[in-house]
Amino acid sequence: MKLKHNDCLNFSTIDATKGICRITKQLINIDSETCSDLALMPKCKNCINFENPDEKGIGICTGLEKEDWTFESLNAVTCKGHRFK
């Protein structure tokens, strides 16, 4: 899994392509190389309860009361079922 800046808790999104690093205060592109200060953001794609993703990144969440489909890129900061792999 290749990580992007929007996979980091220190990244603040501005628009669909760029954001600001909360540590350096620099403007950065979402898909440029990540730095050593990466703090992994909880997302479905890095959760043990995210299963069977297809080629579009749609899989099944098995970590909540009811199983349902979800996107791998969905932020899970407030998800009670998220557990890092």
Side-chain angles (χ1 to χ4, degrees):
M1 166 174 57
K2 184 173 186 317
L3 297 174
K4 298 179 182 179
H5 279 291
N6 67 344
D7 292 318
C8 180
L9 286 168
N10 298 319
F11 181 79
S12 179
T13 303
I14 293 175
D15 62 25
T17 63
K18 63 186 171 297
I20 296 175
C21 175
R22 290 184 174 111
I23 294 174
T24 66
K25 311 297 187 225
Q26 297 289 321
L27 188 67
I28 48 179
N29 290 325
I30 286 175
D31 51 2
S32 60
E33 290 287 320
T34 58
C35 69
S36 60
D37 292 322
L38 179 82
L40 193 58
M41 162 116 35
K43 289 191 174 188
C44 292
K45 69 181 175 184
N46 57 36
C47 179
I48 62 170
N49 297 312
F50 181 66
E51 299 178 4
N52 303 320
D54 65 12
E55 66 281 349
K56 294 181 181 177
I58 300 171
I60 301 293
C61 173
T62 61
L64 300 173
E65 287 182 28
K66 179 183 173 220
E67 288 186 10
D68 209 345
W69 65 270
T70 187
F71 296 99
E72 67 182 5
S73 60
L74 185 69
N75 287 339
V77 174
T78 60
C79 179
K80 294 181 184 351
H82 185 275
R83 302 288 178 268
F84 282 105
K85 289 181 183 177

